[in-house]
Amino acid sequence: GAGVSQTPSNKVTEKGKYVELRCDPISGHTALYWYRQSLGQGPEFLIYFQGTGAADDSGLPNDRFFAVRPEGSVSTLKIQRTERGDSAVYLCASSLSRQRVNTGELFFGEGSRLTVL
Amino acid sequence: KQEVTQIPAALSVPEGENLVLNCSFTDSAIYNLQWFRQDPGKGLTSLLLIQSSQREQTSGRLNASLDKSSGRSTLYIAASQPGDSATYLCAVRRSSGSARQLTFGSGTQLTVLP
């Protein structure tokens, strides 16, 4: 597609429920990132994929958070047993791999706003 | 651990003024620095990207500079307009290691008054 697409744009759920957030990166971008942004703060890194594998998941806050990218394109961020503190905007970004000639520029989607009641 | 600071946190100026937003980072071993714009309730729009070997980048009324040795970048906006009102975020990318993520500042919320 023309840009990074994220769905849903808004998700309201109850504490303890399971949530999936989807990211469709720019076509041809091999690197994909998930970030979380709380109100008034800059985005915080969660996980980075190079192709199908998670190259760096050091930003995931705990084992309730998990992300997959089975075919190296679309990625899903999964949150189990949601807590009120998980409420935030979850942003996805993509870029070309560093192994190719590129600037390393990241392109972000509009985000998925998660509210846990 | 890389830390990115943006000053001021908020800025309000009358239309037509030139202004400077500041960004500082603690670890000078960066691959690049990227400035973003974020409108309320929206995602991030990339404005300018400066590679570590570059000193500045320009796009229209925007000019970003980078002084890697002192850990500083500035975003200069000329002849500001009400449509420039948004939050401006800077982010740096590490130059080595397995990590490829950006580290963000908390942003400067800009209001341009008509």
Side-chain angles (χ1 to χ4, degrees):
Chain A
V4 178
S5 176
Q6 291 188 246
T7 56
S9 55
N10 276 287
K11 176 70 177 179
V12 180
T13 191
E14 294 179 345
K15 179 184 172 187
K17 298 291 187 182
Y18 170 80
V19 167
E20 287 191 355
L21 307 175
R22 174 189 167 109
C23 173
D24 197 346
I26 293 173
S27 178
H29 281 193
T30 55
L32 185 147
Y33 304 76
W34 282 99
Y35 284 80
R36 178 168 71 173
Q37 186 177 27
S38 300
L39 191 64
Q41 300 297 315
E44 293 181 323
F45 170 75
L46 295 176
I47 187 170
Y48 154 65
F49 287 91
Q50 183 60 255
T52 60
D56 183 354
D57 63 359
S58 61
L60 295 177
N62 51 61
D63 61 6
R64 295 187 297 106
F65 288 75
F66 189 70
V68 295
R69 195 186 184 199
E71 298 179 357
S73 178
V74 171
S75 176
T76 304
L77 178 65
K78 308 181 180 191
I79 310 173
Q80 297 177 323
R81 305 183 303 280
T82 52
E83 300 177 356
R84 292 193 180 87
D86 298 336
S87 297
V89 176
Y90 289 82
L91 295 164
C92 177
S94 69
S95 73
L96 289 172
S97 165
R98 282 190 71 187
Q99 281 68 47
R100 300 169 63 175
V101 177
N102 71 90
T103 61
E105 187 173 9
L106 265 64
F107 298 88
F108 281 80
E110 295 277 293
S112 292
R113 180 176 298 278
L114 175 65
T115 302
V116 182
L117 301 177
Chain B
K1 179 186 174 184
Q2 179 74 273
E3 293 183 1
V4 181
T5 304
Q6 290 188 248
I7 295 173
L11 179 64
S12 182
V13 300
E15 181 177 6
E17 271 202 11
N18 303 325
L19 59 100
V20 174
L21 307 180
N22 296 293
C23 172
S24 62
F25 46 95
T26 55
D27 186 348
S28 62
I30 65 169
Y31 180 69
N32 60 34
L33 182 145
Q34 201 167 347
W35 281 93
F36 294 89
R37 168 186 173 137
Q38 187 172 34
D39 293 285
K42 300 293 187 181
L44 279 65
T45 300
S46 180
L47 296 174
L48 288 165
L49 178 128
I50 310 177
Q51 301 295 343
S52 61
S53 58
Q54 297 174 322
R55 293 300 298 256
E56 66 177 341
Q57 282 288 327
T58 298
S59 176
R61 294 183 294 108
L62 305 179
N63 176 277
S65 68
L66 174 64
D67 184 341
K68 200 172 70 164
S69 61
S70 67
R72 294 182 181 180
S73 176
T74 61
L75 179 66
Y76 174 83
I77 303 178
S80 59
Q81 303 170 357
D84 295 332
S85 298
T87 296
Y88 291 80
L89 295 153
C90 76
V92 296
R93 194 172 192 181
R94 190 187 298 181
S95 63
S96 63
S98 62
R100 294 290 181 265
Q101 71 269 26
L102 293 174
T103 302
F104 283 84
S106 295
T108 294
Q109 186 174 359
L110 173 65
T111 303
V112 181
L113 303 170

